[in-house]
Amino acid sequence: MGQLGVGIIGCGMISEIYLKNLTERFSGLKVECCSDADSSKAADVATKYGIQDMSTSDLLSNPDVDVVLNLTPPKYHHEVSFNAIHHNKHIYSEKPLAISLDDAKQLIDEALAKNLRIGCAPDTVLGPGIQTSLKAIKDGWIGDPLTAFASVSSRGHERWHANPGFYYKAGGGPHLDMGPYYISTLVAALGPVRRVNSMSRRPFKKRIVGSGPLKGEQVPVEVDTHFSANLEMKSGVVVTVIMSFDIWSANLPHIEIYGTSGSIMVPDPNTFDGPVKICSQFDSEFIQVPQMSPFSGNLRGLGLAQMCHAIQNKKPHFASGEMALHVLEVLLAIGKSAQTGQSVNCSSDESYPITMPEMTPGLQEIEYGF
């Protein structure tokens, strides 16, 4: 089976783990080239990984590139992905797919019209931690899900990121930055969201950069940084979600799902591993269960690898544009509900049906090159 050529646009911090995995761990694809608005970044990446650096226009015109990996800041996701589709390239984008629902829908419609694939992070849903959780729920280990709780508790990315300004501008905030990991996992486990209620606040007008050459500089905060939301799933399950950049520390679960005959503690959806624990009606405490997959570590890029495999084998891919669109709709609904004080309905899954990322033999058969 041949390889699909990958061109990377955006050579910031997140590109490092993608490049490491795409060049060392996954098969079925080959990284051909990279581009960045800062040409020196692209040159450094190209030298380190033995690929070509070039302008974005040259990358999009490169016949060796079948798939564009879009790692630009969120506000550029739509523009870069749209241009790649115009050049007949498949797309895999970092989250969110776009920062407006109309832009995200346009990308999917354009790709469908050209028979191209769109994939989007997060792909942690395909990792062994979440996959084990999904199988346990599907197999009835906790009975029928009734309700759930999820929390993103952080004091903000300025504590570790050298250039965190975009996290506090349009397209940022805890809901659009960290929320996709959590909402994607909840949707995979419980199905699409029907309705959202939320409240939010913005207690700090500025943030102070904690590391790097900008250390000590102030970053203006232009988005709300704490959200408390209730989600009504189409299945009837009700979920409580907290997403915050205002919490120094907390002792809250990442995700817990409560069923008619037990509860499951789902690992951090921002990681691929992590313990899965279940407390059934016959147990007095949570018990860790074995993970169903031998893969481990930071597998970022797994969604792209699975998409490439799916393209070559004419099968569905799981970290899909349709899933990312619905997740984006939910997250934007959380923001809108907080602003208006009214419930917001979600329905994108009806027009853009989601292929749920359940564990299947096809996913296990991918040659990752481990």
Side-chain angles (χ1 to χ4, degrees):
M1 185 180 298
Q3 294 179 316
L4 293 182
V6 176
I8 298 176
I9 301 179
C11 298
M13 290 181 65
I14 195 63
S15 68
E16 179 68 25
I17 186 61
Y18 272 102
L19 280 156
K20 181 175 178 60
N21 286 340
L22 296 178
T23 57
E24 297 179 6
R25 303 193 74 170
F26 301 134
S27 61
L29 54 84
K30 180 184 178 183
V31 180
E32 298 282 354
C33 52
C34 64
S35 173
D36 193 277
D38 182 345
S39 59
S40 64
K41 285 185 179 180
D44 289 343
V45 164
T47 298
K48 182 173 182 178
Y49 289 96
I51 60 177
Q52 290 182 286
D53 67 285
M54 56 183 63
S55 69
T56 298
S57 60
D58 287 344
L59 185 150
L60 293 175
S61 301
N62 189 336
D64 294 329
V65 173
D66 303 295
V67 183
V68 168
L69 174 57
N70 183 355
L71 302 182
T72 59
K75 67 178 181 179
Y76 300 116
H77 284 182
H78 171 262
E79 177 186 353
V80 170
S81 294
F82 186 84
N83 286 338
I85 293 169
H86 179 72
H87 284 81
N88 295 308
K89 311 296 186 186
H90 302 289
I91 290 293
Y92 190 89
S93 176
E94 252 304 324
K95 46 76 185 168
L97 184 60
I99 61 175
S100 83
L101 201 60
D102 286 343
D103 282 350
K105 289 178 179 178
Q106 183 190 42
L107 291 177
I108 293 179
D109 289 341
E110 290 291 326
L112 287 172
K114 288 179 171 286
N115 196 30
L116 296 169
R117 300 287 188 105
I118 292 187
C120 187
D123 53 4
T124 49
V125 177
L126 305 181
I130 305 301
Q131 287 292 314
T132 300
S133 302
L134 296 182
K135 188 175 191 309
I137 295 168
K138 182 180 179 181
D139 290 351
W141 288 24
I142 64 168
D144 296 326
L146 298 173
T147 187
F149 175 81
S151 67
V152 185
S153 301
S154 164
R155 188 52 181 83
H157 294 343
E158 73 276 7
R159 297 178 68 187
W160 58 269
H161 199 287
N163 190 19
F166 68 93
Y167 291 114
Y168 298 100
K169 297 181 183 296
H175 61 316
L176 290 177
D177 177 57
M178 296 301 295
Y181 298 104
Y182 290 75
I183 303 302
S184 294
T185 300
L186 290 167
V187 170
L190 304 171
V193 176
R194 175 189 291 134
R195 184 165 59 102
V196 170
N197 277 304
S198 72
M199 294 183 289
S200 66
R201 67 175 303 201
R202 189 186 314 175
F204 304 102
K205 294 182 179 180
K206 297 183 182 297
R207 300 285 178 131
I208 299 175
V209 182
S211 62
L214 301 179
K215 183 176 181 179
E217 292 193 12
Q218 293 185 341
V219 173
V221 178
E222 301 174 5
V223 295
D224 287 356
T225 51
H226 181 95
F227 293 85
S228 179
N230 289 319
L231 315 180
E232 179 190 15
M233 317 302 282
K234 290 193 173 182
S235 62
V237 176
V238 175
V239 183
T240 299
V241 181
I242 296 172
M243 294 178 287
S244 184
F245 281 167
D246 300 326
I247 298 175
W248 283 110
S249 60
N251 190 24
L252 296 170
H254 293 288
I255 296 178
E256 287 185 351
I257 299 174
Y258 313 109
T260 55
S261 59
S263 302
I264 184 168
M265 187 181 297
V266 180
D268 183 353
N270 190 26
T271 66
F272 291 85
D273 292 318
V276 178
K277 298 181 180 181
I278 293 177
C279 184
S280 77
Q281 59 184 326
F282 306 108
D283 300 320
S284 59
E285 60 184 17
F286 280 92
I287 299 172
Q288 185 168 334
V289 299
Q291 289 190 352
M292 61 179 293
S293 170
F295 308 132
S296 62
N298 188 338
L299 301 173
R300 197 175 295 269
L302 175 57
L304 173 56
Q306 194 271 329
M307 188 179 82
C308 290
H309 182 271
I311 291 170
Q312 292 168 315
N313 290 277
K314 296 180 172 59
K315 294 181 178 181
H317 65 285
F318 298 125
S320 68
E322 290 80 5
M323 170 69 90
L325 173 68
H326 183 64
V327 169
L328 177 63
E329 181 186 28
V330 173
L331 295 169
L332 293 175
I334 289 173
K336 183 177 180 180
S337 176
Q339 292 172 359
T340 64
Q342 298 178 342
S343 296
V344 178
N345 294 326
C346 300
S347 60
S348 58
D349 65 295
E350 297 170 4
S351 301
Y352 303 88
I354 302 168
T355 301
M356 291 298 180
E358 298 174 349
M359 177 60 76
T360 68
L363 185 56
Q364 290 281 42
E365 289 168 3
I366 299 172
E367 296 178 4
Y368 291 128
F370 291 137

